Amino acid sequence: MGNYFQPEIECASREEIRAIQNERLVKQVKHVYDNVPMYRERMDEMGIKPEDIKSVDDLHKLPFTTKDDLRDQYPYGLLAKPLEECVRIQSTSGTTGRRVVAFYTQHDIDLWDECCARAIVAVGGTKEDVVHVSYGYGLFTGGSGLNGGSHKVGSLTLPMSSGNTDRQIQFMTDLGSTILCCTPSYAAYLAESINERGLRDQIHLKAGIFGAEAWTEEMRHDIEDKLGIKAYDIYGLTEISGPGVSFECEAQTGMHVNEDHFIPEVINPVTGEVLPDGEKGELVFTSISKEAFPLLRYRTRDICILSHEKCPCGRTHVKMTKPLGRSDDMLIVKGVNVFPSQIETVLLNKGYAANYQIIVTRVNNSDNLEVQVEMTPEMFSDNVSDITAKEKELVAALKAMLGIYADVKLVAPKTITRSEGKAVRVIDKRNLYQN
Amino acid sequence: MGVKQISIFVENKVGNLAAVAKIISEAGVSLASISLADTKDFGVLRLIVDDAYNAANALRDNDYIFAITPVIAVETDDAPGSLYKILTLFEENNINLEYLYDVSSGKKSNNAVLVFKVDNIDKVEELLKSNGVKLLNQEDI
């Protein structure tokens, strides 16, 4: 049997979980109907009253929420609590330059931290551990989520944030970090650097919790071998709370969804029809205990499979596979969400033609984003330094929009590949999705 | 006056210069000078030709991005100090030189031919002329 942070919930019987979900869903639907005009209007249009939702069996009657809704309702439209009761925001990039801002009450932060604490305990974390958090801190949910989880466990927390590899390794050796939390690509990079410096025998890591981007089993084995640890996956999204919506246990065969807070469904992305266990489709979440920013049936665009098969770890919560793909064109580069439309917006704002191609590669386990842009007569100058100055300006504008560095490459007109008249916008050479 | 220079955007890829040369030659245009300023990914190819109009049409037909820029061509003694003299004139008169290159085979001269790109071309031509520097026309190169 494994280690649990909240065994009475994590190992509750299916009937108990169902009872918690029924009670919380009914309450949540009423809360949302009373406080969020968008949901009230939609439910009224569909002729659904909060009283019609009596249990999880009625979940499919509720309207979906999409990323477009979040954009349209920015910033306060989906807020279900008075602002004075909120204590935090987190944010993530959205399409066409509008960010998603999620609000949290103290209750929401606490339940999020508990979810992350479950993930830390599941990989063997205790208050004796030193949890090294190298996710970015700030608006990104990675840093604060695992930071909060580690506090709940009572571990010594190192709020390293990302970057500055020398300092990361120094703290790891000097303070004896035992659990590393970061993106898998940064973990691979750190592993590489530690081995290059011959410091492998001076680190004390035993486990890692790596999420916020897609990674393969090969990458898992590579990190495990290089650091001598067990590497675990974690899943989450700002819209629902952050990392810890689901997490991997010692079985390493999928991530347990924290079902007492988030009800997952898998749907056919075209028809919206709910699919049974074992079928591949778009993952949808309903937050049933959050107060400030509770979303009903939020379409994640991640393609997944759910499984209620009994897990050897003793947890009873449903497991989801790693995302097997996306039902939209979002890319995750260096742990950051990137939409081609954001890049297009920057190009058009800067007076370029919307003729571009995005090429994503992973070299030495580190993502690289290249944006190829076709040269235009307006852009061109006989003076090379004028062109490179404009190129730099574009790099800066892309950085401001995306939050990450993109390499700009100017190419000759009409050279960007077009297939059947439609330009191929994205070439992802990373092969992240295995199925 | 001045001389017309054609600047062409070329990607740093094998065969790209040859492709430009082919288009120019098929248009029946003769090259008087060629110079390349390059970066990691792309270059700007600068040509002075005997028939800029025909060259431009041929490039446009083949979807090249290019610009026609007036530059100054001068003939100087092929002797020590001649470039220095001109650059000193520029400096004393606060003239910003964007770039320069030499044309090794001045057709009608045994002297060196230099090409300058400056901001205020008329003013600079006046200055050079009044200091006894010989300016060249398109057909002189």
Side-chain angles (χ1 to χ4, degrees):
Chain A
M1 289 295 272
N3 312 296
Y4 316 107
F5 180 65
Q6 290 163 313
E8 70 291 350
I9 292 169
E10 293 176 68
C11 304
S13 70
R14 288 306 307 171
E15 293 70 37
E16 287 168 321
I17 294 170
R18 189 70 167 191
I20 294 171
Q21 288 182 333
N22 287 342
E23 189 200 325
R24 289 185 177 172
L25 176 66
V26 169
K27 209 174 128 204
Q28 187 71 294
V29 170
K30 186 171 186 322
H31 172 58
V32 162
Y33 185 86
D34 290 345
N35 294 289
V36 182
M38 183 192 87
Y39 283 123
R40 186 165 55 243
E41 280 160 28
R42 285 207 187 154
M43 286 172 64
D44 286 348
E45 268 170 34
M46 296 165 80
I48 298 162
K49 294 278 158 229
E51 306 83 75
D52 297 334
I53 307 300
K54 298 188 174 74
S55 74
V56 179
D57 291 334
D58 300 317
L59 186 60
H60 69 276
K61 295 176 184 166
L62 291 168
F64 287 115
T65 311
T66 64
K67 194 119 182 170
D68 283 344
D69 294 328
L70 300 191
R71 190 189 62 204
D72 295 345
Q73 298 294 323
Y74 173 92
Y76 299 122
L78 293 168
L79 190 61
K81 276 277 180 185
L83 212 45
E84 66 260 30
E85 287 188 42
C86 297
V87 298
R88 172 99 65 84
I89 66 146
Q90 299 287 157
S91 173
T92 182
S93 53
T95 45
T96 62
R98 271 203 200 167
R99 300 183 69 89
V100 169
V101 174
F103 298 84
Y104 302 76
T105 61
Q106 187 57 51
H107 163 89
D108 297 339
I109 296 277
D110 285 339
L111 76 87
W112 176 24
D113 289 350
E114 277 173 18
C115 288
C116 288
R118 291 179 194 175
I120 292 169
V121 173
V123 309
T126 66
K127 56 189 226 170
E128 319 282 314
D129 279 291
V130 179
V131 176
H132 189 110
V133 184
S134 307
Y135 279 115
Y137 278 66
L139 290 171
F140 177 52
T141 51
S144 36
L146 272 306
N147 190 90
S150 175
H151 280 216
K152 289 268 180 202
V153 176
S155 311
L156 177 64
T157 312
L158 310 191
M160 302 300 304
S161 200
S162 51
N164 198 337
T165 304
D166 285 329
R167 189 174 65 195
Q168 301 276 357
I169 297 175
Q170 193 192 344
F171 274 67
M172 238 179 238
T173 55
D174 294 355
L175 297 177
S177 308
T178 55
I179 296 175
L180 173 63
C181 307
C182 60
T183 60
S185 51
Y186 195 52
Y189 178 74
L190 283 172
E192 198 92 342
S193 308
I194 288 165
N195 282 290
E196 267 168 22
R197 290 163 211 207
L199 295 171
R200 164 82 185 266
D201 57 351
Q202 288 182 49
I203 58 159
H204 304 89
L205 292 175
K206 61 180 188 187
I209 300 175
F210 306 130
E213 66 187 14
W215 50 313
T216 58
E217 281 303 312
E218 289 80 46
M219 200 164 164
R220 189 207 295 264
H221 295 140
D222 182 53
I223 296 169
E224 289 187 334
D225 288 347
K226 288 203 173 117
L227 289 175
I229 62 169
K230 290 291 250 178
Y232 298 92
D233 207 351
I234 188 166
Y235 174 90
L237 58 173
T238 309
E239 295 88 327
I240 298 303
S241 69
V245 170
S246 68
F247 60 94
E248 229 173 23
C249 62
E250 72 238 26
Q252 292 184 313
T253 53
M255 295 175 276
H256 289 284
V257 177
N258 283 308
E259 280 187 276
D260 51 326
H261 299 303
F262 317 110
I263 304 180
E265 296 169 279
V266 162
I267 62 160
N268 176 326
V270 180
T271 63
E273 173 207 357
V274 179
L275 301 174
D277 249 31
E279 279 196 39
K280 196 156 101 173
E282 183 180 336
L283 186 63
V284 171
F285 282 110
T286 300
S287 325
I288 50 174
S289 42
K290 273 173 65 182
E291 297 175 335
F293 199 70
L295 301 184
L296 301 182
R297 305 191 82 202
Y298 180 67
R299 296 185 59 161
T300 65
R301 296 289 174 188
D302 282 325
I303 301 294
C304 280
I305 300 171
L306 291 178
S307 163
H308 282 89
E309 246 172 64
K310 203 166 185 290
C311 185
C313 77
R315 284 178 188 79
T316 47
H317 292 223
V318 65
K319 282 202 284 197
M320 57 176 266
T321 57
K322 265 178 197 300
L324 306 169
R326 295 277 306 170
S327 65
D328 65 5
D329 56 359
M330 187 181 88
L331 294 162
I332 302 182
V333 183
K334 296 176 189 169
V336 174
N337 301 348
V338 173
F339 288 93
S341 56
Q342 290 176 298
I343 290 170
E344 193 168 314
T345 304
V346 172
L347 293 176
L348 293 172
N349 284 344
K350 288 275 164 197
Y352 292 82
N355 223 347
Y356 62 94
Q357 192 163 57
I358 299 162
I359 297 171
V360 194
T361 49
R362 186 168 278 176
V363 181
N364 295 327
N365 288 313
S366 176
D367 289 344
N368 184 51
L369 179 66
E370 179 180 289
V371 180
Q372 294 194 347
V373 187
E374 285 187 0
M375 192 70 181
T376 61
E378 297 74 34
M379 250 303 273
F380 183 65
S381 160
D382 59 309
N383 201 337
V384 172
S385 59
D386 289 348
I387 303 176
T388 47
K390 283 183 190 160
E391 213 177 352
K392 274 189 192 144
E393 217 177 87
L394 183 56
V395 168
L398 286 169
K399 176 104 203 285
M401 172 68 96
L402 306 172
I404 54 168
Y405 172 80
D407 200 9
V408 168
K409 190 175 174 208
L410 297 170
V411 299
K414 301 193 178 168
T415 54
I416 287 176
T417 327
R418 290 162 171 82
S419 67
E420 290 155 19
K422 194 169 175 265
V424 178
R425 289 285 170 242
V426 178
I427 297 178
D428 193 336
K429 296 184 175 168
R430 295 175 298 178
N431 284 327
L432 293 176
Y433 301 117
Q434 290 165 314
N435 296 21
Chain B
M1 203 166 61
V3 168
K4 288 190 183 78
Q5 171 194 271
I6 304 180
S7 316
I8 308 159
F9 177 80
V10 280
E11 273 183 77
N12 282 358
K13 271 190 196 159
V14 175
N16 275 3
L17 281 183
V20 176
K22 182 164 180 270
I23 288 162
I24 299 289
S25 73
E26 282 175 0
V29 175
S30 158
L31 284 179
S33 103
I34 179 163
S35 119
L36 180 69
D38 64 341
T39 69
K40 186 167 70 63
D41 296 324
F42 68 89
V44 175
L45 184 66
R46 296 169 184 143
L47 307 179
I48 296 177
V49 297
D50 61 348
D51 188 343
Y53 180 76
N54 263 334
N57 278 341
L59 289 166
R60 188 175 296 115
D61 291 346
N62 286 279
D63 297 319
Y64 277 86
I65 299 275
F66 64 94
I68 295 181
T69 322
V71 290
I72 297 176
V74 304
E75 186 180 317
T76 65
D77 297 337
D78 197 359
S82 48
L83 173 64
Y84 177 65
K85 181 187 159 194
I86 295 172
L87 293 182
T88 307
L89 270 179
F90 284 179
E91 193 188 342
E92 284 167 359
N93 290 277
N94 212 13
I95 288 157
N96 179 34
L97 176 64
E98 285 188 35
Y99 54 81
L100 72 87
Y101 52 92
D102 77 309
V103 179
S104 47
S105 60
K107 184 160 64 176
K108 293 174 185 168
S109 158
N110 292 321
N111 290 338
V113 175
L114 293 171
V115 173
F116 296 97
K117 168 73 193 297
V118 292
D119 281 341
N120 189 340
I121 192 159
D122 295 335
K123 183 183 143 199
V124 176
E125 280 185 338
E126 273 314 306
L127 173 75
L128 291 171
K129 242 190 265 176
S130 63
N131 281 276
V133 178
K134 187 181 174 196
L135 302 179
L136 298 181
N137 293 321
Q138 198 92 19
E139 54 271 19
D140 296 330
I141 300 176

